[in-house]
Amino acid sequence: MKKFAALFDLDGVIINTEPQYDVFWKKIGDDYNLGIDHFERIVKGTTLPNILNRYFSGLSKEKQQDIVQANREFDLQMSLELIPGVLEFIYEIKEKCIKTGLVTSSDNIKLKRVFEELKFDHLFDTVVSADRITEGKPNPMCYLLAAKDLNISPEQCIVFEDSFQGIDAGNFAGMKVIGLSTTNPEEAIKDKVYRVIPDFQKISVNDLFL
């Protein structure tokens, strides 16, 4: 087996939280009268600072802080359900001494809760969160930083992503992207990725890393 590293997004790849975020961001878009169709889909995979800068820059600092606080409260109360088979798959990767990374648009406060409740942080050799980058997805900065952390070239990295923003980030980084159809249907992402999988239940490391 060739040398590879596996890089995982969090929401929609490891935990099934995207449907909950759909409800949250749709309400925010409606509450602030953005008038943007499917706003909740457009912002998937995007860091909160980028969302504020792009869509809410005209609001006062106080109003922007209200959104930050609402998002913080949501992050701390949403349910955390694992994508089927994901931890077993990552354990299989670790058994083969393949390096792993978690690359997410979430910040460290949210990650603290996720790690405390689900206790899988020990599975990753590096973690790149929103707090470590200045440009969010679809900019490839987060994935390139993970590759640098692991001392491996981008071409040797396989990315697991679900959102258009995240898929673009992996592709822009020059990495092979496996798309999960947990957030977008297979038909919508299949031409942007190397392969589409619904979850990790019937996938083995040999299927993806040979």
Side-chain angles (χ1 to χ4, degrees):
M1 182 178 293
K2 297 179 181 178
K3 181 181 179 182
F4 285 105
L7 306 179
F8 295 83
D9 177 42
L10 179 63
D11 296 287
V13 173
I14 294 178
I15 52 177
N16 187 24
T17 49
E18 290 296 2
Q20 298 173 75
Y21 277 116
D22 284 349
V23 175
F24 173 79
W25 283 113
K26 184 180 189 308
K27 184 176 187 305
I28 292 293
D30 291 345
D31 287 350
Y32 288 88
N33 299 309
L34 289 183
I36 300 175
D37 291 337
H38 306 300
F39 176 65
E40 68 278 9
R41 299 181 191 175
I42 294 172
V43 298
K44 283 187 182 299
T46 308
T47 63
L48 182 57
N50 282 1
I51 294 173
L52 293 175
N53 289 336
R54 183 165 184 178
Y55 300 103
F56 299 98
S57 59
L59 296 180
S60 66
K61 293 297 183 183
E62 290 76 15
K63 290 293 185 182
Q64 290 187 38
Q65 189 57 41
D66 287 343
I67 296 174
V68 171
Q69 183 60 32
N71 184 74
R72 175 70 59 237
E73 293 173 0
F74 177 80
D75 282 346
L76 295 177
Q77 69 183 10
M78 68 179 178
S79 63
L80 302 177
E81 177 186 349
L82 289 165
I83 297 293
V86 64
L87 293 191
E88 293 84 351
F89 181 71
I90 299 175
Y91 274 114
E92 183 185 355
I93 287 175
K94 298 300 291 183
E95 288 174 359
K96 295 183 181 297
C97 299
I98 296 169
K99 292 183 178 181
T100 57
L102 179 65
V103 183
T104 175
S105 296
S106 300
D107 62 21
N108 290 340
I109 295 177
K110 174 183 169 182
L111 284 180
K112 183 176 184 292
R113 182 211 168 187
V114 171
F115 290 159
E116 286 178 348
E117 292 194 21
L118 299 180
K119 304 184 187 308
F120 55 61
D121 48 310
H122 66 286
L123 294 176
F124 298 102
D125 299 299
T126 187
V127 175
V128 177
S129 69
D131 297 281
R132 293 189 63 196
I133 58 175
T134 56
E135 295 289 339
K137 301 172 185 177
N139 188 290
M141 180 181 188
C142 55
Y143 281 114
L144 294 175
L145 179 56
K148 183 179 179 181
D149 287 347
L150 299 176
N151 193 29
I152 193 167
S153 69
E155 295 78 15
Q156 293 172 296
C157 295
I158 295 182
V159 167
F160 294 88
E161 269 285 0
D162 64 304
S163 70
F164 291 118
Q165 303 273 26
I167 289 170
D168 285 346
N171 285 327
F172 292 153
M175 300 175 179
K176 180 184 290 186
V177 180
I178 304 295
L180 276 90
S181 57
T182 52
T183 300
N184 297 292
E186 179 177 356
E187 288 297 315
I189 62 173
K190 67 179 184 180
D191 63 336
K192 304 176 186 299
V193 298
Y194 169 73
R195 180 177 177 178
V196 179
I197 57 176
D199 53 42
F200 295 91
Q201 291 187 97
K202 297 181 180 179
I203 300 298
S204 74
V205 172
N206 288 336
D207 291 332
L208 302 176
F209 293 88
L210 289 176

